[in-house]
Amino acid sequence: MKFALTILLVLNTVFSMSVLAGQQGQEDGYRLWLKYDLIRDKEQRQAYAKQLSQLSIIGESPTLSVIKNEFELALPRLLGKPIEVSLHDQRSSTLLITKIDQKIIDQYQLDDDINQSIDGLSNEGFIIKTIAIANKPQILITANTDIGLLYGSYHFIKLLQTSQNITALNIKQSPKVDIRMLNHWDDLDRHTERGYAGESIWDWHKLPEYKSQRYVDYARANASIGLNGTAINNVNANALILTDAWLSKVESLADTFRPYGIKVYLSIKFSSPQQIGGLATSDPLNSDVQQWWQNKAKEIYQKIPDFGGFLVKANSEGQPGPGDYNRSHAQGANMLAKALSPFGGKVIWRAFVYSHEDKTERSLQAYNEFVPLDGRFNDNVSIQVKNGPIDFQPREPFSPLFGAMPKTPLAMEFQITQEYLGFSTHLAYLAPLYEEVLDTDTLVNGKGSTVAQVIDGSLHNNTFSVMAGVANIGNDRNWTGHIFGQANWYAYGRLAWDHQLSSAEIAQEWVKMTLTKKPQAVDSIVNLMMGSREHIVNYMTPLGLHHLMATGHHYGPGPWVDNLSRADWNPVYYHRADEQGIGIDRTSSGTKGISQYAPAWQKLFRNPKTTPVELLLWFHHVPWDYQMPSGEILWTELVNHYYEGAQAVTVMEQQWLTLEHEIDANQFSQVKMALAIQVKEANWWRDACVLYFQEFSKRPIPHGLAKPTKTLEQFKSLSFPYAPGQG
Amino acid sequence: MKFALTILLVLNTVFSMSVLAGQQGQEDGYRLWLKYDLIRDKEQRQAYAKQLSQLSIIGESPTLSVIKNEFELALPRLLGKPIEVSLHDQRSSTLLITKIDQKIIDQYQLDDDINQSIDGLSNEGFIIKTIAIANKPQILITANTDIGLLYGSYHFIKLLQTSQNITALNIKQSPKVDIRMLNHWDDLDRHTERGYAGESIWDWHKLPEYKSQRYVDYARANASIGLNGTAINNVNANALILTDAWLSKVESLADTFRPYGIKVYLSIKFSSPQQIGGLATSDPLNSDVQQWWQNKAKEIYQKIPDFGGFLVKANSEGQPGPGDYNRSHAQGANMLAKALSPFGGKVIWRAFVYSHEDKTERSLQAYNEFVPLDGRFNDNVSIQVKNGPIDFQPREPFSPLFGAMPKTPLAMEFQITQEYLGFSTHLAYLAPLYEEVLDTDTLVNGKGSTVAQVIDGSLHNNTFSVMAGVANIGNDRNWTGHIFGQANWYAYGRLAWDHQLSSAEIAQEWVKMTLTKKPQAVDSIVNLMMGSREHIVNYMTPLGLHHLMATGHHYGPGPWVDNLSRADWNPVYYHRADEQGIGIDRTSSGTKGISQYAPAWQKLFRNPKTTPVELLLWFHHVPWDYQMPSGEILWTELVNHYYEGAQAVTVMEQQWLTLEHEIDANQFSQVKMALAIQVKEANWWRDACVLYFQEFSKRPIPHGLAKPTKTLEQFKSLSFPYAPGQG
């Protein structure tokens, strides 16, 4: 009878599942990389099951409960059998999760092994080690803190998800960067600036009472890749976020995230003292203003004792800031820093500034403004710098600020959401972009001064370190709109934890956990991912071109746009195409931008011949008939890049179609539909840009390439008033 | 080996499910009432399985494929075993689905039985009948059309879902109303006016290529309750919807909906000829304008051969219309009707008009404008009338237009989305509201002239009939934000199909399919649902009060608002509270509104003593010390209603808490969180309204009732700039 009931329950569940994941019985993407589907390899599954027959978690805390829940969810599903989880150290336990103490150190000989020495293990780090106790192998997950145990637990589960051998583990990890955060550009009204996956996941209206399950699953996903911070509202901030009603909503989210080791940060409006505080000024040197912020900090910490701090966009694109009172960014940041300091909070101050009045070329302004302030920021301030000097383009050189402010912790700001890389319908794996930037050597202290070393604080011994990624998360069922957007969230988190990981190995991990473990299919998908970003560079902005997108929504090409109120908002400001050639001269004969880089880089960037080809038009205005290393003239090379980029998307689409029976039908179909859009839009970018630049080059489209079927005027006439994500 | 694999697959699935439905293994609400979970009663399940061992579907069409898919999804899951579905009439089949032909009529003796006679079976109707063939029982589902078969199939599946006996079926149904539609107030930018369940389900930017699975599941849900039309964009229409780019998106949706028998309708902007057509006028008597609409209709029907027609809001709340050219609504509607007529399209023209210039009290204006036009509309025009004379208030009397335009098909417009009934956090089962309206006797032709008979065309022999419901559907995972919002979608559809159904029996069906089949829990939940709307009337607008909500977003109370640019947008216009009393006099001494009703109603409404108590203040300005039938004076009665309403929500919350182990944990928790919000907001409504009206009554809050803990000024100071769903 009991057996019959079990079978029925099981059968019921079989058929339930087929409907739960979209009515057609397929994967809907909500589970991200935490799917925990049964390990199909029977031998491996049985081996794991044997090694994990009894699990003990020692202690009691909300975070330990999270660990217990996660193992109770993951193990039975991965292994196809129930696993006992005990809260006491069972003699029979084969996996032990416990904080470090002397008994553990002795028992597991943690200090016998330099690699596994607890020395240097950070508060968030973990150790996973196998030893034989009485000839019986036992796996230990240990750490200095509960959060370290949580990270170790997710790491261990990933070993199972990716079919790693767990017979002789000897792993020690600490994150290389202290604060690893997401930035949500949430506008408090469910709109997300540059969000392409539905609306914001924060349902502010129903908070604080109504806590969506999604908030929990968001925290799980972040914790599983080591993210420990989230700035939940737009840097173009709304002062309301600091009112009592909104802080109660923030508190509710912070309470949800806390057991997962995730601190909440808020983007603040610098003029809040006036807008919601009733003061006549927001001058950072005014004592009432200073007091207002100190009171506000106290109020926040009463609600949220582990509040992370403030993220600030000031005197940038119309936002208020200390400059409104002729105060420096340092004076503004330090005023906030002083308010947060008693509670351990940080100020993360963005370097993305460029002024309407300043006639210096836009890419130079952040450096000019911030470098002179180096050494003048309080020690709980970090300056958050976008990876390139302009704005998250498909390719930019690294920002010259990296390495130029040795006395100041510099935070990296990457964009995960694809504002300039095809929204949520273009397949663009961004880890190669992140990796390219992090691995670039700034050469400021000679060779071996990589951007990553600037960010993690090791180059200049900074007091703390930060990495931020502008989130691509929305309330679409699969979180990111495009399934491959999940890979960017994942890869960003992994690189924030360890910037030495390669984008290819991260892709491997993600594909195995998300799509398939079949080796050939994994290779095929990873291969497709690894090339994807370069294809976009090619069909949008090859050879160092940048900022060619349409106005406002940034959807589609608009290289012809020349009528915006600010010169540096117009694409023509950046490509400077004329009858002679194309590209912006940032050498000493032009904007002098290269002077901001280390001398060794200046030497390379000075000369078109020694400038990396992929950045040629970033630094030089180059004649149309300039001889490229390939042997082609610039015009032909440029057009070839556009055609190659678009063609590569068609090839991606063909490759994807071969995977139909390798992965879940719904995942297959979603990507297929997105690729159809990407093919269409890649051709649109190609044709619109080539036709437009042809007006200057006055040269034919190279022989053998199909001519665009629409006219430039047709492209110019297109209008998309409701393209998503507008600012 | 094979057995082992099966077990593993099964186990895998067991654990998959727990994550698919929200990471905690619970029902996420996406499946609506089509859950098809295993029937727990073993005896019944086995009986069904025996009766349904072999299913045959005869024929081939997209709709028949839908039927096949639905049975293949539903039966194995409900019955816990695979069921064979054949596309040929198997001798062994126990359930046969086939269109009516002579052979079927003879074999099933359809004409022997008056009840089952095919005579009078409409194109969308169906017959489900059991006969014994060679002593073997066989069930037939038959109809004149594939769509009829689809409706019959869903009806049959519902019999299983709700544990009905299927041994001797003899069912014949035809819908009582021809066009049963949803109106989506989608703004083309993912915003939905008065939408409280996330953003619009139409992801326009990704259409036409990207067809979300949700579009299919939307169609399934609608077809399962008999809805056959959807107006997919806001009646406050954007002219862009008729441009080529947008029509391609609409076509993509129409293609998806077609197999489910759902036609697409579009809300159009009357000034489209100017806005997107380049004409200098949109005057309906201008021949260029007429030609433009005729061309546009042709263009639409080339893309969408079964296009339903236009829904029009004209000369209302700022929308353009024929009145801009001194033409009548009939002239405007007929111009469009003529354009659609060659293709069989309809014009559904809204009667919701009230003018800034017209000083007649707002509730009278629709009648005044439209009744004189009766008989002047083309025969493919229907006039869509909101259920009450104002605007979807918690309670209104029926609109006096019902019954007053015998020569014109009148469409009912209900609001399913809870603009005035607590958004998506108040539990309000609306079927009793719909039922109350439909069952009301207009008395225009003497007794037995119900609103339902006006709508279904039977009272005045109209050529076609329409019912519309303003959708409460968004991209929240559970579609409607509040799980009980699903019940309103469901009940609306059921009543559009058959207005004779009772709201209680519909609630029973819905609860059994959605929440639980345990009899005591079903009773408890149905009981809670049945009272829920009246509680809202009590804590928001008791005794005939109306339009007391805050401005713009309509969130929360704002009875004090008196500063809006139009007099008839202000709550004070409607409640007219002063030191003498409260309520608006719509008798001959006041606005004369009652004159629009049939004489028998006028007689009742004329006198406060014969006016139904629940509408007292709708028709009369009543002194504070007026003696109510209860024996209390009006002030006391009014306050009592407010307190009873709020108290009833607390009781609902307590009742809900007793269901913790009766239903799925996630469904339980979502409703619990929403009820916590409802309790808070019911108290807010009560306290704000009572304190405000007390300023006029100058009487104490009756003895024994707790005094509000906030002041009126505190309530007045509240502001909610980002409340959802704003227009």
Side-chain angles (χ1 to χ4, degrees), chain B residues 517-528:
Chain B
K517 281 195 274 193
K518 295 176 199 164
Q520 211 177 335
V522 171
D523 285 351
S524 176
I525 297 169
V526 169
N527 179 49
L528 191 142

Side-chain angles (χ1 to χ4, degrees), chain A residues 183-203:
Chain A
N183 289 182
H184 291 264
W185 287 355
D186 168 293
D187 286 327
L188 308 193
D189 58 358
R190 303 281 325 242
H191 181 265
T192 304
E193 186 171 336
R194 312 311 172 188
Y196 309 105
E199 62 186 350
S200 170
I201 55 171
W202 317 133
D203 191 350

Side-chain angles (χ1 to χ4, degrees), chain B residues 511-721:
Chain B
V511 171
K512 285 181 186 169
M513 292 193 284
T514 310
L515 296 173
T516 178
K517 281 195 274 193
K518 295 176 199 164
Q520 211 177 335
V522 171
D523 285 351
S524 176
I525 297 169
V526 169
N527 179 49
L528 191 142
M529 290 167 75
M530 291 301 293
S532 59
R533 176 258 189 152
E534 200 64 31
H535 304 327
I536 293 185
V537 171
N538 282 333
Y539 64 72
M540 287 187 181
T541 51
L543 298 175
L545 288 174
H546 49 289
H547 205 293
L548 301 185
M549 67 289 170
T551 304
H553 47 59
H554 301 170
Y555 176 59
W560 47 79
V561 175
D562 61 1
N563 59 354
L564 301 179
S565 61
R566 286 181 61 153
D568 53 11
W569 286 349
N570 288 303
V572 298
Y573 179 90
Y574 299 97
H575 65 68
R576 312 215 171 177
D578 57 24
E579 296 201 6
Q580 280 69 51
I582 183 171
I584 178 165
D585 179 5
R586 289 190 168 107
T587 69
S588 56
S589 58
T591 73
K592 304 182 176 48
I594 66 167
S595 68
Q596 297 181 339
Y597 289 96
W601 277 114
Q602 289 187 35
K603 195 175 161 195
L604 290 175
F605 292 154
R606 196 177 294 147
N607 184 345
K609 297 289 175 206
T610 55
T611 300
V613 169
E614 64 271 20
L615 293 173
L616 180 65
L617 305 180
W618 187 282
F619 289 111
H620 302 280
H621 188 73
V622 181
W624 293 113
D625 60 0
Y626 175 82
Q627 203 71 35
M628 298 292 289
S630 66
E632 301 286 359
I633 62 164
L634 172 63
W635 165 250
T636 306
E637 176 103 358
L638 182 70
V639 176
N640 283 344
H641 272 276
Y642 273 109
Y643 276 75
E644 281 163 23
Q647 175 59 22
V649 180
T650 301
V651 172
M652 281 210 298
E653 187 183 39
Q654 287 159 358
Q655 287 174 336
W656 186 257
L657 294 180
T658 67
L659 295 165
E660 176 152 18
H661 303 293
E662 304 299 315
I663 65 167
D664 165 82
N666 192 45
Q667 292 184 317
F668 172 78
S669 141
Q670 287 189 11
V671 175
K672 180 183 159 189
M673 293 188 290
L675 278 165
I677 295 173
Q678 189 174 357
V679 166
K680 185 181 74 170
E681 294 183 354
N683 290 341
W684 169 31
W685 267 94
R686 175 197 66 198
D687 291 350
C689 291
V690 166
L691 285 175
Y692 171 72
F693 291 131
Q694 194 179 29
E695 302 234 307
F696 301 96
S697 80
K698 303 192 190 305
R699 289 162 196 267
I701 290 173
H703 197 67
L705 300 179
K707 292 220 169 55
T709 53
K710 285 189 176 148
T711 67
L712 182 57
E713 287 316 305
Q714 284 174 308
F715 289 121
K716 286 185 179 179
S717 74
L718 296 174
S719 135
F720 304 92

Side-chain angles (χ1 to χ4, degrees), chain A residues 394-601:
Chain A
R395 171 170 281 117
E396 300 192 27
F398 67 97
S399 166
L401 275 166
F402 295 122
M405 295 183 68
K407 296 176 192 152
T408 312
L410 295 190
M412 171 62 78
E413 180 173 320
F414 283 128
Q415 195 175 45
I416 311 172
T417 191
Q418 294 171 225
E419 175 178 1
Y420 299 104
L421 287 102
F423 290 12
S424 65
T425 45
H426 293 211
L427 195 166
Y429 178 52
L430 298 182
L433 186 162
Y434 305 151
E435 191 179 31
E436 176 178 302
V437 176
L438 291 167
D439 290 352
T440 300
D441 198 333
T442 67
L443 301 173
V444 290
N445 288 1
K447 282 207 174 184
S449 315
T450 64
V451 171
Q453 289 168 295
V454 173
I455 297 308
D456 71 14
S458 61
L459 188 66
H460 297 125
N461 282 314
N462 302 117
T463 49
F464 70 104
S465 55
V466 183
M467 203 181 291
V470 181
N472 62 345
I473 299 164
N475 76 338
D476 271 2
R477 181 61 181 168
N478 71 6
W479 300 86
T480 55
H482 202 301
I483 294 167
F484 281 83
Q486 298 181 358
N488 294 331
W489 178 9
Y490 182 83
Y492 164 73
R494 297 286 288 133
L495 285 168
W497 179 272
D498 182 1
H499 51 63
Q500 293 305 101
L501 294 170
S502 81
S503 52
E505 68 187 291
I506 296 172
Q508 285 263 353
E509 279 178 8
W510 178 81
V511 171
K512 285 181 186 167
M513 292 193 285
T514 310
L515 295 173
T516 178
K517 281 196 272 193
K518 295 177 199 163
Q520 213 177 336
V522 171
D523 287 351
S524 175
I525 297 169
V526 169
N527 180 47
L528 191 142
M529 290 168 76
M530 290 301 292
S532 60
R533 176 259 189 151
E534 200 64 32
H535 305 328
I536 292 183
V537 172
N538 282 333
Y539 65 71
M540 287 186 180
T541 53
L543 298 175
L545 289 174
H546 49 288
H547 205 294
L548 301 185
M549 68 288 171
T551 305
H553 48 58
H554 300 169
Y555 176 60
W560 47 79
V561 174
D562 61 1
N563 59 353
L564 301 179
S565 62
R566 288 181 60 153
D568 54 11
W569 285 350
N570 288 301
V572 298
Y573 178 90
Y574 299 97
H575 64 67
R576 310 217 173 174
D578 56 24
E579 296 202 4
Q580 281 69 52
I582 183 171
I584 178 165
D585 179 6
R586 288 191 169 107
T587 69
S588 56
S589 58
T591 72
K592 303 184 175 49
I594 67 168
S595 67
Q596 297 182 338
Y597 288 96
W601 276 114

